[in-house]
Amino acid sequence: MAKKELLAEQLDPATTALMTVECQQGVVGADSALPELAKQARESGALHNVARLVACTHEVGVQVLHAVAERRPDGRGASRNARLFRAAERLPVQQHSGSRAVRIAEPIEVADEDIVVRRLHGLSPVSGTDVDPLLRNLGCRTLIITGVSANVAIPNAVFDAVNLGYTAVVAADAIAGVPADYTPAMIRHTLALVATVTTTDDILGCLKAGRRVTRA
């Protein structure tokens, strides 16, 4: 885990943003297309911790982005070059644009100032989306990454953020994957090599100790 002095330096509210990854009804909600993942996100406390982080960032003026994966009902532009994409086409719940499945799941609250970034293709919530130019325009240098899944989208987000020059901060207790023991293994053997790994409580402590930011 990161030392608190280093974490406090990285989490300057003026240059920090928080991103939730695929915390949408059709993924982690009650009617999830991936019930095992949804169950793990809730029972592990990860989704609750995402909600805590979002609430705090709203209070201190840190920008929140919600990365949502969706597809057009006609499938145009959707990726089909991996087994994962082809399996997703057969799931009983489809992440169709405009449907309930792509709304942010409870207990996460979406504020008016939050930015929802939607993608129709690929595996990454960062690469090939508007996340990078949005963060640069907001003056952000540190990205707190939360959500699902530790199997695919979270490592993609971390690697892409680091490759683009951002400091990636991972709240280890605010991400989830399947099976349950995979997430700590991914964190320890992969994410910890490239990101600052910490806890929800430590992030909350740093952000609350900082000066509130007012953004235009």
Side-chain angles (χ1 to χ4, degrees), residues 70-81 85 89 97 118-123 128:
E70 58 183 55
R71 57 184 285 126
R72 288 168 50 112
D74 61 10
R76 286 181 181 269
S79 300
R80 295 185 176 85
N81 59 334
F85 301 130
E89 292 178 352
S97 301
R118 304 181 183 278
R119 78 177 194 274
L120 293 171
H121 65 89
L123 298 170

Side-chain angles (χ1 to χ4, degrees), residues 2 7 10-11 16-17 142-146 158 166-172 194-199 203:
L7 188 63
Q10 293 175 338
L11 294 179
T16 297
T142 296
L143 184 62
I144 304 169
I145 297 170
T146 66
V158 171
Y166 297 97
T167 295
V169 174
V170 175
V194 294
T196 298
V197 176
T198 186
T199 65
I203 293 174

Side-chain angles (χ1 to χ4, degrees), residues 16-35:
T16 297
L18 180 142
M19 182 169 66
T20 73
V21 178
E22 296 183 27
C23 292
Q24 57 203 75
Q25 293 283 1
V27 177
V28 296
D31 299 320
S32 171
L34 304 164

Side-chain angles (χ1 to χ4, degrees), residues 81-142:
N81 59 334
R83 178 177 152 195
L84 177 65
F85 301 130
R86 296 191 293 274
E89 292 178 352
R90 300 190 296 271
L91 291 174
V93 178
Q94 292 292 307
Q95 315 298 319
H96 287 162
S97 301
S99 70
R100 172 179 168 78
V102 298
R103 296 177 190 169
I104 302 302
E106 296 179 348
I108 300 167
E109 294 187 3
V110 181
D112 291 340
E113 62 268 24
D114 292 1
I115 299 174
V116 180
V117 181
R118 304 181 183 278
R119 78 177 194 274
L120 293 171
H121 65 89
L123 298 170
S124 175
V126 177
S127 178
T129 73
D130 292 334
V131 167
D132 181 37
L134 289 171
L135 292 178
R136 294 188 187 280
N137 288 346
L138 290 162
C140 294
R141 301 305 310 149
T142 296

Side-chain angles (χ1 to χ4, degrees), residues 159-189:
F159 294 148
D160 287 342
V162 171
N163 284 332
L164 289 166
Y166 297 97
T167 295
V169 174
V170 175
D173 54 355
I175 66 172
V178 290
D181 59 359
Y182 180 77
T183 300
M186 165 60 78
I187 291 169
R188 179 178 179 181
H189 298 294

